[in-house]
């Protein structure tokens, strides 16, 4: 499995993703802090702020005695929070926050200590000292609208607004108070209610910070871990199906990170398990077929031997010497046939289970062909079948185990001779094709029907109608040939046509 590039790594994606989201959250929080601090009122509010609000509230109450003071405060653009303390006991705040208790108590005390209603008859209004005071606020004389600014020495009025403590320091730099008039009567006071920076920003920053952190972490989890979770879920589901026996289940392999690498490894493992399961099933089928075939093949000679032995052992049956000798000869042939079958089975088992090592050498092809011809020339002469060999230039040497290669060629030659009629021909040839040695065994026999060609290398296969009736051999010769060639890393194929003969082609890799 190739190593995952760092930028596709799940660990880097998670780490960098959370760093990016954290940076975004901090940036948004910093922006919110800058925006909020730009709206904070620093320092003690000026008395003029309360006077302006008190004048406007007085005018509004004069026009509409049932005025919603809270709504009036909300419509103002004043940054400093204000509180209206009314004679009837109402306390209305512009921001919903109540003023400190000492400020509220002092404002109520000032209202309760005020004299009866003020007006022009009591010296309220323009006077000789101010040149035009009015009922707008509590201001020092001579500068415009003021409370008590028109009271002279003989009027019994109030010369200075500080006589009632208006605007006097109450806490932390002072909270100015300005009276609210309705029909020349003080009906309340407007008190500035400044807050500390924490009081103004603390709750908002806490809420904004919590929302940003929750949104950032949730987004990070959904965008970074969400796809990984879905692919891990697919892997888990596939593993569960494989555990229950479904070897066709596969996990998602998209993503290109460690999870994808695990999914690819899992899928490869599942594919290998499916292939091995199929091989085990095929091996089990072959094992059952082998048991059946071996039982059938061994049963035939055993039955014959038992029948003749029972006949020979019967005391009431009198056999002449010739019949007895013939029975004993049949028993001997059947025992040798059974021995041949058992030997071939053991040989095939060693080849297929790799317990029989292959001693590869440089083997002269002419010597191989010569030993095959020498062994079968008497049988070929008796059947009037010509045995020929040919070795093309460059094909003089083949790499392999000389004993096993000779065994394979002996089996093919014996099989060809059995099925080649009188006057026919069996040929062995060797050629060099590119990077492999090609050995061909041809005969001019009756051929094999196409439907039987795929099965000629099966164990105990003898159902070819063109070769029916043949009893020689164990039925394992071609299976042994195939096992020998495959142990050498080669292949064997058969080509045949009815009435035109059969050709077995062996392809072996070249030696060093």
């Amino acid at each position: 499995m190739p190593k995952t590039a760092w930028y596709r790594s799940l660990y880097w994606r998670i780490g960098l993703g959370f760093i990016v989201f954290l940076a975004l959250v901090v940036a948004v929080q910093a922006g919110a802090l800058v925006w909020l601090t730009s709206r904070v009122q620093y320092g003690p509010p000026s008395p003029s702020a309360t006077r302006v609000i008190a004048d406007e509230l007085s005018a509004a109450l004069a026009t509409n005695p049932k005025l919603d003071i809270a709504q009036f405060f909300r419509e103002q653009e004043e940054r400093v929070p204000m509180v209206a303390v009314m004679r009837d006991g109402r306390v209305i705040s512009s921001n919903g926050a109540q003023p400190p208790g000492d400020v509220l108590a002092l404002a109520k005390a000032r209202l309760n200590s005020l004299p009866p209603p003020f007006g022009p008859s009591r010296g309220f209004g323009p006077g000789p000292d101010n040149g035009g005071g009015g009922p707008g606020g509590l201001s020092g004389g001579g500068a415009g609208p003021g409370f008590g600014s028109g009271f002279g020495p003989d009027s019994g009025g109030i010369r200075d607004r500080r006589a009632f403590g208006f605007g006097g320091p109450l806490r932390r730099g002072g909270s100015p108070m300005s009276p609210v008039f309705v029909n020349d009567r003080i009906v309340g006071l407007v008190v500035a209610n400044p807050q500390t920076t924490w009081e103004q920003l603390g709750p908002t920053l806490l809420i904004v910070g919590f929302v940003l952190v929750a949104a950032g972490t949730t987004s990070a989890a959904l965008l970074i871990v969400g796809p990984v979770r879905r692919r891990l879920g697919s892997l888990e589901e596939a593993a569960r199906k494989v555990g229950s026996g479904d070897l066709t289940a596969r996990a998602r392999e998209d993503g290109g990170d460690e999870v994808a690498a695990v999914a690819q490894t899992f899928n490869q493992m599942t594919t290998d398990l499916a292939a091995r399961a199929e091989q085990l099933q095929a091996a089990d089928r072959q094992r059952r077929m082998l048991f059946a075939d071996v039982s059938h093949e061994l049963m035939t000679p055993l039955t014959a031997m038992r029948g003749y032995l029972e006949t020979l052992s019967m005391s009431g049956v009198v056999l002449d010497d010739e019949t007895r000798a013939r029975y004993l000869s049949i028993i001997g042939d059947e025992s040798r046939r059974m021995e041949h079958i058992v030997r071939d089975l053991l040989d095939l088992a060693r080849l297929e289970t790799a317990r029989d090592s292959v001693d590869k050498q440089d083997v002269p092809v002419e010597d191989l062909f010569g030993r095959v011809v020498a062994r079968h020339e008497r049988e070929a002469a008796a059947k009037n079948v010509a045995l020929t060999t040919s070795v093309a230039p460059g094909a003089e040497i083949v790499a392999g185990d000389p004993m096993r290669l000779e065994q394979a060629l002996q089996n093919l030659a014996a099989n060809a001779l059995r099925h080649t009629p009188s006057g026919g021909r069996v040929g062995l040839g060797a050629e060099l094709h590119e990077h492999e040695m090609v050995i061909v065994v041809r005969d001019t026999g009756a051929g094999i029907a196409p439907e039987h060609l795929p099965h000629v290398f099966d164990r105990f296969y003898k159902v070819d109608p063109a070769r029916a009736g043949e009893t020689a051999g164990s039925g394992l010769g071609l299976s042994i040939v195939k096992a020998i060639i495959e142990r050498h890393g080669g292949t064997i194929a058969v080509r045949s046509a009815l009435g035109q003969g059969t050709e077995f082609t062996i392809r072996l890799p070249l030696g060093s």
Side-chain angles (χ1 to χ4, degrees):
M1 186 66 62
K3 186 177 180 180
T4 303
W6 72 269
Y7 58 87
R8 300 179 70 91
S9 171
L10 177 63
Y11 306 108
W12 281 100
R13 286 168 56 189
I14 292 177
L16 293 177
F18 273 106
I19 290 174
V20 170
F21 274 100
L22 181 60
L24 290 176
V25 169
V26 171
V28 174
Q29 284 183 322
L33 179 62
V34 171
W35 180 78
L36 289 172
T37 52
S38 67
R39 302 178 60 82
V40 173
Q41 176 71 29
Y42 295 98
S46 64
S48 61
T50 58
R51 287 200 299 270
V52 172
I53 297 298
D55 289 345
E56 293 179 356
L57 180 58
S58 298
L61 286 174
T63 304
N64 180 14
K66 296 183 179 181
L67 175 70
D68 185 350
I69 299 177
Q71 179 63 30
F72 169 82
F73 277 143
R74 285 194 293 270
E75 293 174 354
Q76 305 304 309
E77 296 182 356
E78 190 64 42
R79 293 183 180 180
V80 180
M82 297 290 178
V83 177
V85 182
M86 311 303 289
R87 277 186 180 275
D88 57 11
R90 290 180 297 160
V91 179
I92 301 97
S93 175
S94 63
N95 61 353
Q98 293 295 317
D102 56 346
V103 176
L104 183 60
L106 185 57
K108 290 182 178 180
R110 293 292 186 271
L111 286 174
N112 292 332
S113 65
L114 286 174
F118 293 88
S121 62
R122 296 293 305 273
F124 176 79
D129 296 330
N130 64 4
L138 297 179
S139 171
F147 176 71
S149 60
F151 297 101
D154 301 328
S155 64
I158 299 175
R159 174 70 62 182
D160 190 349
R161 64 186 177 89
R162 293 185 183 274
F164 288 101
F166 296 136
L170 298 178
R171 66 178 178 91
R172 292 195 300 272
S175 294
M177 301 179 184
S178 296
V180 179
F181 290 93
V182 176
N183 297 326
D184 300 330
R185 179 183 178 85
I186 295 179
V187 297
L189 295 175
V190 172
V191 184
N193 187 25
Q195 295 175 296
T196 64
T197 303
W198 169 250
E199 290 174 334
Q200 296 182 63
L201 300 182
T204 303
L205 287 178
L206 285 176
I207 294 174
V208 171
F210 177 79
V211 171
L212 287 176
V213 170
T217 53
T218 302
S219 301
L222 293 176
L223 296 177
I224 298 175
V225 183
V228 176
R229 181 178 179 274
R230 287 191 291 271
R231 289 188 287 130
L232 286 175
S234 171
L235 182 58
E236 178 186 5
E237 182 65 21
R240 186 178 295 110
K241 290 181 179 180
V242 170
S244 63
D246 182 11
L247 297 181
T248 62
R250 297 293 183 271
R252 291 173 52 185
E253 298 183 1
D254 56 305
D257 52 17
E258 289 81 0
V259 177
V262 173
Q264 292 171 5
T265 303
F266 174 83
N267 290 341
Q268 183 61 46
M269 178 195 69
T270 306
T271 301
D272 295 341
L273 286 176
R276 292 179 183 178
E278 181 62 28
Q279 291 174 356
L280 288 175
Q281 293 176 359
D284 185 63
R285 288 193 299 268
Q286 292 179 357
R287 178 181 57 83
R288 290 196 298 267
M289 293 175 59
L290 177 61
F291 286 161
D293 293 340
V294 169
S295 299
H296 177 269
E297 292 296 323
L298 293 179
M299 186 59 67
T300 301
L302 285 174
T303 302
M305 292 169 61
R306 180 180 179 182
Y308 285 111
L309 286 173
E310 288 178 350
T311 301
L312 291 174
S313 62
M314 293 175 62
S315 59
V317 177
V318 179
L319 299 175
D320 55 65
D321 294 340
E322 183 181 354
T323 302
R324 182 180 296 273
R326 184 167 58 86
Y327 285 179
L328 291 174
S329 176
I330 293 174
I331 292 173
D333 292 341
E334 293 298 333
S335 64
R336 284 188 292 273
R337 179 184 176 191
M338 188 168 61
E339 180 184 2
H340 190 192
I341 292 174
V342 172
R343 185 174 61 250
D344 284 349
L345 282 172
L346 293 175
D347 200 10
L348 183 61
R350 284 194 298 267
L351 288 168
E352 290 185 343
T353 57
R355 288 200 300 264
D356 191 16
S357 61
V358 175
D359 182 19
K360 282 193 175 184
Q361 304 175 18
D362 287 341
V363 182
V365 177
E366 284 284 2
D367 292 350
L368 278 178
F369 288 174
R371 288 194 293 272
V372 172
V373 171
R375 180 175 179 180
H376 296 284
E377 61 181 354
R378 183 177 299 178
E379 181 184 357
K383 293 187 64 173
N384 192 25
V385 174
L387 275 175
T388 62
T389 62
S390 65
V391 178
E396 293 84 2
I397 301 297
V398 62
D401 188 322
M403 298 297 295
R404 286 301 185 184
L405 288 179
E406 181 181 347
Q407 181 183 5
L409 292 177
Q410 295 284 8
N411 286 351
L412 290 175
N415 185 72
L417 282 173
R418 271 199 305 271
H419 305 293
T420 301
S422 178
R425 185 176 65 256
V426 174
L428 286 77
E431 298 177 352
L432 189 63
H433 288 181
E434 296 181 354
H435 303 293
E436 59 185 7
M437 174 72 73
V438 179
I439 299 176
V440 180
V441 178
R442 301 183 181 89
D443 66 63
T444 57
I448 305 172
E451 63 270 19
H452 298 300
L453 284 176
H455 307 287
V456 295
F457 295 106
D458 295 348
R459 298 182 182 92
F460 304 112
Y461 186 78
K462 294 182 180 180
V463 297
D464 188 347
R467 301 182 179 186
E470 296 288 347
T471 58
S474 62
L476 297 171
L478 293 181
S479 299
I480 293 175
V481 171
K482 182 180 179 182
I484 291 174
I485 300 305
E486 289 179 349
R487 286 299 307 277
H488 282 76
T491 61
I492 183 170
V494 60
R495 185 174 60 181
S496 182
L498 290 177
Q500 299 181 13
T502 303
E503 177 180 289
F504 288 90
T505 301
I506 299 172
R507 297 181 181 273
L508 297 171
L510 294 178
S512 59

